[in-house]
Amino acid sequence: MALIHEIPITEIKGLSMGHAQDREAKTGVTVLLFDKDRGAVTGCDISGGGPASRETPLTSPVTADNPLNAIVLSGGSAYGLAASDGVMRCLEDHGIGFETGFAKVPLVCQSCIFDLGLGSATIRPDAKMGYEACLQALEHPVTAMGNVGAGTGATVGKLCGMERASKTGIGCYAMALGELQVAAVVVVNALGDIFDPANGTKIAGLMNEGRTAFGDSCEELWKLGCPQNLFTGNTTIGAVITNGQFNKAQMNKIASMTRNAYARCINPVGTMADGDSIYAASIGDVKADINVTGTLAAHVMERAIVKAVESAR
């Protein structure tokens, strides 16, 4: 373990991040931007039953092998997918995209959380907010966590309504193993409770009726039996980024291995009420083993989930 150590996410070359948010409406956008010339070879794992996403077929091994320019994480449920319009326009304005011979078309994937129940249900991330977040990633990259960007309206433990939920946000973490680097960015907005896998401690989730201690989402779910319309307001979305060199099929496998972090940190997880999704992006040339990288990616994602809770207010 001595070879494995934490690094600043800014050490991951070819990755930059930008946020934009509406603090009153409690929603926002985070853009993960890749090197304009190289892009990112990207896979995706969707384990939740209700994802809101855009252009995820670009991550399939059976589609054209064109690297992504950006991954967008946002609030707003499916309405928030409009944020990518602004991201694409910002990238086009800066000459970034796939050259078609007629125009450069930016390749952008996006996933959204449902945060309409915390602030305003009528104000969602839009093209203007997407443009702002992308411009920040281009010109003044940030590493802020907590109640910023897509984490602005993130909450967990919502089985019994928002009055018993816990506030969470967006978290980041990065580690290195020799030359291999892996970073994770995650927006924690789950139906279930959140645990620190390092010691098994519950750190966020369903509160009891007096909000004096944590309840238990699994026990509440079993007690309800057939809950009616209680599964709105969820989804944990994230991405792992590595300088390891892999193809799209391998990145899809690494994304699926990273899902183990969700299982170790969130319970229940991957329900029909969640749109749980993970992107995995390769942006480097370091020769690395897929098993080592996927295992490290899950570990880094665990720590990012904990950071998303610890940094939220």
Side-chain angles (χ1 to χ4, degrees):
M1 293 294 289
L3 293 175
I4 301 177
H5 60 278
E6 180 183 356
I7 60 172
I9 196 170
T10 51
E11 285 194 16
I12 311 290
K13 302 303 181 185
L15 169 68
S16 60
M17 182 167 65
H19 299 306
Q21 56 278 318
D22 184 321
R23 297 196 182 278
E24 185 175 347
K26 293 182 173 58
T27 193
V29 177
T30 296
V31 173
L32 304 179
L33 185 64
F34 306 119
D35 181 86
K36 65 183 182 67
D37 297 317
R38 183 189 188 98
V41 177
T42 309
C44 183
D45 178 85
I46 299 175
S47 55
S53 58
R54 168 173 170 153
E55 291 274 54
T56 50
L58 292 176
T59 67
S60 169
V62 301
T63 58
D65 196 21
N66 299 321
L68 293 189
N69 299 116
I71 293 172
V72 180
L73 309 175
S74 85
S77 189
Y79 290 109
L81 294 171
S84 280
D85 293 339
V87 175
M88 290 187 67
R89 189 166 70 247
C90 181
L91 294 175
E92 182 184 29
D93 288 348
H94 288 80
I96 299 172
F98 176 72
E99 182 58 72
T100 66
F102 300 93
K104 285 189 175 181
V105 179
L107 301 182
V108 178
C109 283
Q110 180 179 357
S111 289
C112 308
I113 65 168
F114 188 110
D115 57 3
L116 305 181
L118 183 62
S120 171
T122 60
I123 299 176
R124 309 108 179 190
D126 56 12
K128 180 180 178 181
M129 194 180 289
Y131 195 106
E132 181 183 344
C134 187
L135 191 62
Q136 185 178 76
L138 278 165
E139 298 182 349
H140 305 287
V142 295
T143 58
M145 294 184 284
N147 305 131
V148 295
T152 304
T155 52
V156 296
K158 290 164 280 190
L159 188 60
C160 296
M162 292 302 298
E163 62 274 9
R164 291 175 61 183
S166 298
K167 188 73 185 78
T168 49
I170 188 169
C172 310
Y173 198 82
M175 297 192 79
L177 173 60
E179 293 185 350
L180 178 65
Q181 298 174 329
V182 181
V185 179
V186 64
V187 184
V188 182
N189 191 62
L191 171 74
D193 302 326
I194 312 301
F195 299 81
D196 184 344
N199 53 28
T201 302
K202 185 179 293 189
I203 56 176
L206 178 69
M207 305 296 295
N208 63 16
E209 292 185 4
R211 293 192 68 87
T212 58
F214 286 123
D216 189 303
S217 289
C218 285
E219 288 186 6
E220 196 67 35
L221 180 62
W222 298 328
K223 183 167 60 177
L224 290 169
C226 297
Q228 298 297 315
N229 196 31
L230 293 176
F231 291 143
T232 57
N234 311 302
T235 295
T236 298
I237 53 177
V240 289
I241 305 95
T242 180
N243 66 351
Q245 185 179 49
F246 299 99
N247 60 36
K248 256 206 294 190
Q250 291 171 320
M251 293 314 298
N252 274 274
K253 179 58 179 175
I254 289 172
S256 70
M257 292 179 71
T258 306
R259 190 202 311 173
N260 291 317
Y262 283 17
R264 292 195 282 261
C265 295
I266 306 170
N267 192 26
V269 69
T271 71
M272 293 300 287
D274 292 292
D276 297 339
S277 304
I278 300 172
Y279 296 93
S282 167
I283 58 173
D285 296 316
V286 173
K287 302 299 182 183
D289 178 77
I290 187 172
N291 299 300
V292 171
T293 306
T295 302
L296 182 58
H299 180 69
V300 172
M301 180 60 80
E302 288 177 20
R303 305 322 303 163
I305 290 171
V306 172
K307 288 286 188 182
V309 173
E310 292 178 342
S311 57
R313 297 291 182 270

